[in-house]
Amino acid sequence: MSSKTSIVAEALVRSGVLKFGSFKLKSGIISPYYIDLTWLLSSPNDFSSVVDVVAEEIKPMVSSRKVNKLASIELKGALLIPSIAGKLGLPCVVIRKESKTYGLIDRITGGEVRKGDRIAFFDDVITSGASKIEAVKLIEEAGGKIEAVVVVVDREQGGKQELEKQGYKVKPVTTISEIVKNLVSAKTLSSNQADKIFMYLGKV
């Protein structure tokens, strides 16, 4: 079990980001857990812990000059991306889910994507990957190159594989399975709750 999984697991539980119970997802599926990274805003130490871990994940790409800009999509990834970019000394942009009807109406905001920009795209979780695909295509249309898609948690529901099939490198900091195993070992999560999650993931 990696130390980064332990750091993320502890931060997500302590801050209330990771919740267990019964939650209806956008797809209509009922999930035994839910991840809402907006809760990090009320827990500054945990916010910093997650930002630090993500920045360390991206840092080798910056050092090797594979990446010179970061991007994310509203809402949740966009809350963390300025802090991650600040740690790495890189500019960042945010992709709006839809164009505005007033002011600056472009879907890419916070700056520009220029031809030749080498971008690490960041988001909170990956499930099906659909929202990521739409966002990275916009970046590519603007002339940017996606070097990697980085997420805090892979929900292990096919999104990573879908993006990889389309030629993108996907780098999750950790997976929900690794987090669950960590929390069971730390006695923060019961075996019964863990089994419900593994059954949901088709791993039992």
Side-chain angles (χ1 to χ4, degrees), residues 118-138:
R118 302 178 305 281
I119 294 170
F121 183 87
F122 167 76
D123 207 0
D124 57 341
V125 302
I126 186 165
T127 307
S128 70
S131 63
K132 316 281 184 291
I133 292 167
E134 183 186 0
V136 298
K137 295 294 184 192
L138 275 173

Side-chain angles (χ1 to χ4, degrees), residues 9-49:
E10 288 170 15
L12 299 194
V13 169
R14 198 166 43 225
S15 61
V17 165
L18 178 56
K19 302 178 190 303
F20 301 102
S22 182
F23 305 93
K24 187 175 182 179
L25 303 181
K26 189 176 181 181
S27 61
I29 294 170
I30 304 300
S31 170
Y33 75 96
Y34 193 73
I35 298 173
D36 183 354
L37 252 71
T38 63
W39 281 64
L40 285 175
L41 298 178
S42 293
S43 187
N45 289 339
D46 295 315
F47 182 98
S48 293
S49 294

Side-chain angles (χ1 to χ4, degrees), residues 87-155:
K87 284 266 179 191
L88 296 168
L90 291 180
C92 66
V93 296
V94 172
I95 313 301
R96 291 191 178 111
K97 289 184 178 175
E98 55 187 38
S99 298
K100 285 173 31 177
T101 57
Y102 58 90
L104 299 174
I105 63 172
D106 293 343
R107 285 188 64 188
I108 298 175
T109 186
E112 295 177 329
V113 172
R114 297 186 177 93
K115 188 174 181 180
D117 278 346
R118 302 178 305 281
I119 294 170
F121 183 87
F122 167 76
D123 207 0
D124 57 341
V125 302
I126 186 165
T127 307
S128 70
S131 63
K132 316 281 184 291
I133 292 167
E134 183 186 0
V136 298
K137 295 294 184 192
L138 275 173
I139 290 168
E140 289 173 335
E141 285 168 14
K145 182 175 187 299
I146 303 296
E147 293 292 344
V149 176
V150 180
V151 296
V152 181
V153 182
D154 178 5
R155 288 179 54 104

Side-chain angles (χ1 to χ4, degrees), residues 6 17-18 41 44 66 71 78 83 100 112 136 159-160 164 177 180 186:
S6 299
V17 165
L18 178 56
L41 298 178
K66 285 184 179 176
S83 297
K100 285 173 31 177
E112 295 177 329
V136 298
K160 179 176 183 287
E164 287 173 341
S177 293
V180 168

